[in-house]
Amino acid sequence: MAALINVPRRAKRGDVIEIKTLMSHIMETGYRRTADGDIVPRDIITSFTCRYNGDEIFRADLFPAIAANPFISFFTVATESGTFEFEWIGDRGFTATAKAAITVE
Amino acid sequence: MTRQDDTTRRRFLMLAGGAAVAGAVPVLTIRPADATPATLAAAIRDVVGTAVVHTGKVKLDIPPLVENGNTVPMTVSVASPMTAEDHVKSIHVFNEKNPQPNIGNFVLGPRAGRAQVSTRIRLADSQKITAIAHLADGSFWSVSVDVVVTLAACTEEVI
């Protein structure tokens, strides 16, 4: 359960910045079978959310068609210094969170 | 006599051409597939409802030829000023032939600054990928891209 987050440490007010996230997860589709023919049960991350100082700025619903170790990158406007909070929610009670700080000048 | 020959030849060519055109359309749609065009259409209808989906504004960057369907880089972007009045509310990506028609739903807002999302996806077969953007004024815009996959995802056995 390791997350990789890439957020610029500092930015000018009003800049459009890119946020890159990667969460390690098998993303088992639920369509694969073992050699015995049994279906491997689905185990995926279903939801990803990013909050900027508490306000939701990005959300994604994920499906089995998202590759293992989901990588998601998106953009936001740097409005004020603070923290980004990231949250992943998935099957079998999977939850993971991560934080990143930014200084806006 | 020669005239008669010309007519038949022309008619034959027209018929053959017509058959080729008619045949070309179903090739994409009538292949044995899990996410059939019907389920794809249903998944799209779940998002857009009865609204008209226009073509344009959306750009889908995905390699046209993919060696490994297990991880395919995909970037979807929408031409939008991303202001409070005119911004992209959400982007929805669909596929044609994976077991499920959905790939991902991405909810943005005016604070995004740029309507662009990148991720990596799985493709079970050579197929068409469709991205639909929902704009703040309520309109829907879409683009479709064909991708050829040599090694499909989802088919390998778990050891």
Side-chain angles (χ1 to χ4, degrees):
Chain A
M1 206 163 58
L4 275 179
I5 307 288
N6 188 335
V7 176
R9 290 233 181 108
R10 39 186 75 240
K12 288 201 183 107
R13 196 175 303 276
D15 273 2
V16 175
I17 55 167
E18 183 173 20
I19 299 174
K20 296 177 185 167
T21 68
L22 189 140
M23 167 53 72
S24 92
H25 193 283
I26 185 171
M27 293 295 279
E28 183 61 57
T29 58
Y31 297 102
R32 296 200 303 164
R33 288 171 186 278
T34 61
D36 302 333
D38 303 325
I39 280 192
V40 182
R42 194 184 89 160
D43 182 12
I44 65 165
I45 292 173
T46 49
S47 159
F48 167 75
T49 314
C50 175
R51 290 186 202 86
Y52 187 2
N53 287 340
D55 297 334
E56 181 182 300
I57 53 161
F58 181 81
R59 191 175 81 235
D61 302 326
L62 308 185
F63 292 88
I66 299 289
N69 303 326
F71 163 82
I72 301 171
S73 96
F74 52 95
F75 291 84
T76 193
V77 178
T79 51
E80 57 193 332
S81 298
T83 49
F84 290 98
E85 293 170 327
F86 305 92
E87 187 178 26
W88 294 263
I89 299 171
D91 293 337
R92 303 189 192 177
F94 177 89
T95 58
T97 54
K99 280 184 184 178
I102 185 168
T103 308
V104 176
E105 293 149 347
Chain B
M1 272 302 181
T2 47
R3 210 165 150 198
Q4 182 68 35
D5 284 350
D6 269 2
T7 338
T8 44
R9 185 159 157 261
R10 187 177 304 147
R11 278 189 59 202
F12 170 77
L13 285 174
M14 276 170 68
L15 281 171
V21 168
V25 180
V27 164
L28 276 175
T29 46
I30 311 178
R31 274 216 225 145
D34 291 328
T36 58
T39 61
L40 171 65
I44 291 175
R45 207 162 44 242
D46 280 349
V47 170
V48 305
T50 53
V52 180
V53 180
H54 309 273
T55 306
K57 289 200 183 192
V58 189
K59 192 162 165 255
L60 194 52
D61 276 327
I62 193 162
L65 178 66
V66 174
E67 269 187 29
N68 184 353
N70 281 303
T71 168
V72 183
M74 176 196 87
T75 297
V76 56
S77 54
V78 185
S80 166
M82 294 306 271
T83 58
E85 300 79 35
D86 185 3
H87 61 265
V88 177
K89 285 164 83 175
S90 60
I91 301 172
H92 310 265
V93 186
F94 303 96
N95 70 78
E96 202 180 13
K97 285 176 189 161
N98 281 12
Q100 274 192 352
N102 294 88
I103 290 178
N105 301 323
F106 306 98
V107 182
L108 290 73
R111 291 186 63 179
R114 186 183 305 170
Q116 182 176 324
V117 178
S118 303
T119 186
R120 293 177 195 144
I121 65 172
R122 286 183 174 125
L123 295 174
D125 199 352
S126 298
Q127 55 183 308
K128 194 166 71 181
I129 311 298
T130 303
I132 296 181
H134 185 194
L135 268 52
D137 63 4
S139 62
F140 290 92
W141 296 81
S142 80
V143 71
S144 291
V145 171
D146 285 301
V147 183
V148 175
V149 180
T150 39
L151 172 66
C154 312
T155 48
E156 82 279 35
E157 282 184 343
V158 182
I159 301 147

